[in-house]
Amino acid sequence: MRVVFMGTPDFAVPTLARLHADGHVIAAVYTRAPAKAGRGMALRPSPVHARAEALGLPVLTPGTLKTEEAVATFAGHEADVAVVVAYGMLLPQRILDLPRHGCLNLHGSLLPRWRGAAPIQRAVMAGDAESGVGVMRMEAGLDTGPVAMEVRVAITEGMTAGELHDALMPAGADLMGRALARLEAEGLTFTPQAAEGVVYAHKITNEEARIDWSRPAMDVARHINGLSPFPGAYVEVDLGRGVERVKVLRALQTDGSGEPGTLLDSACTIACGIGAVRLLELRRAGKGGAASGEEFLRGARLPLGATLA
């Protein structure tokens, strides 16, 4: 089939690679424009941009799809289908109507739960027992279109959003590969989303990333794991050179009690509103890698009874 691929982050790369390997003609790859990154703030292409160039595919990075020029360019690809995976830009109706089989979105949740920007993080933060990926035909609404195929993935205890992301990524690539094969051979059957159970996965804010130790331990652990590795839940603590930010990248609910935020033992157990959590992986601002809870305490020299704000 003749495909326009639209995606930006790492999550989309395996799907692009799968469709190319399956022999589809990738007429164009749309991705977000290179952004400044790193210490030198040099322009860095998106992961999809880099993979597309490595595969010898034409790359477009328009700032908008709403102009006459953008619509004409898209129409010129004469696509059978557009495949959209975390592109990061809304598609106007004129674009949605152009491909012969419409635009298919690979969405990282079991719709209608977790429509929107951060479905993977929100599923872990909410304590969902499972997540998944689905192939949806795009409409003008936010993730409201009918769904053709799904794959479910269990969310195990202590799983981080990064680990769920890494499980969904190959599952999604395989699902979209099978979806296009079925579309080409016999067509896809789409089922409207249920009207009940709609939940929105709002974008994660920096303010939301701060850990609230007054919450129950289960909620605190899910909050930490759901924001790992990005943007990373954090606390602020004085480690001898003034207050600094420390990111907590993995935690586990455990036994313990005390004033919320209090360091209870040398295993880096912190009291919560109800119960306690053990901090398993932390990273100090300006430091390279992550450290275990015990390693962090040895370096920070925090006394028992210290408070993490």
Side-chain angles (χ1 to χ4, degrees):
M1 300 183 75
R2 190 169 175 84
V3 178
V4 168
F5 186 87
M6 311 178 82
T8 297
D10 287 329
F11 188 79
V13 170
T15 303
L16 172 62
R18 169 63 183 264
L19 300 186
H20 181 266
D22 285 350
H24 297 290
V25 177
I26 311 297
V29 174
Y30 282 67
T31 189
R32 298 303 297 267
K36 293 181 179 180
R39 291 186 177 180
M41 297 302 288
L43 288 176
R44 181 179 299 173
S46 74
V48 164
H49 191 150
R51 178 57 67 90
E53 287 192 337
L55 294 173
L57 302 173
V59 178
L60 292 88
T61 59
T64 179
L65 296 172
K66 296 180 179 179
T67 65
E68 293 296 329
E69 181 183 3
V71 173
T73 298
F74 197 97
H77 303 312
E78 299 182 341
D80 293 315
V81 65
V83 172
V84 183
V85 187
Y87 178 40
M89 186 183 299
L90 292 176
L91 274 59
Q93 191 65 50
R94 295 174 69 189
I95 295 290
L96 294 175
D97 292 338
L98 284 172
R100 186 162 61 95
H101 293 293
C103 299
L104 302 184
N105 176 236
L106 182 70
H107 186 73
S109 80
L110 300 173
L111 292 165
R113 187 165 176 81
W114 302 126
R115 294 175 180 174
I120 296 175
Q121 291 98 326
R122 295 295 180 188
V124 176
M125 293 168 73
D128 289 2
E130 63 177 358
S131 181
V133 284
V135 173
M136 172 192 69
R137 187 172 63 214
M138 297 179 72
E139 298 178 343
L142 180 62
D143 300 328
T144 59
V147 177
M149 300 169 66
E150 284 184 336
V151 169
R152 294 173 179 264
V153 173
I155 301 177
T156 57
E157 182 180 4
M159 177 181 274
T160 66
E163 290 166 341
L164 179 57
H165 169 280
D166 291 349
L168 294 176
M169 200 162 43
D174 177 69
L175 183 69
M176 187 60 78
R178 291 188 287 114
L180 287 202
R182 185 180 298 180
L183 178 64
E184 185 175 23
E186 60 194 62
L188 285 171
T189 300
F190 291 88
T191 302
Q193 294 182 36
E196 301 79 27
V198 175
V199 184
Y200 286 93
H202 297 290
K203 184 177 179 180
I204 306 294
T205 65
N206 289 331
E207 294 77 14
E208 187 180 7
R210 186 164 189 157
I211 299 170
D212 180 0
W213 301 112
S214 69
R215 298 169 62 189
M218 180 181 293
D219 293 346
V220 173
R222 289 170 175 171
H223 178 254
I224 290 169
N225 294 332
L227 295 181
S228 177
F230 182 83
Y234 73 90
V235 295
E236 291 183 337
V237 60
D238 189 344
L239 300 178
R241 297 182 179 178
V243 175
E244 63 179 85
R245 181 172 294 191
V246 177
K247 289 191 175 183
V248 185
L249 302 177
R250 188 184 298 272
L252 189 66
Q253 180 184 3
T254 189
D255 295 329
S257 62
E259 188 68 21
T262 301
L263 176 63
L264 299 179
D265 58 30
S266 59
C268 211
T269 302
I270 310 297
C272 299
I274 300 174
V277 294
R278 181 163 296 162
L279 307 187
L280 304 177
E281 194 173 328
L282 305 94
R283 184 171 63 239
R284 293 174 63 176
K287 304 295 182 180
S292 69
E294 292 87 347
E295 290 169 338
F296 167 75
L297 288 181
R298 286 197 295 270
R301 299 181 181 178
L302 280 176
L304 297 185
T307 299
L308 279 69

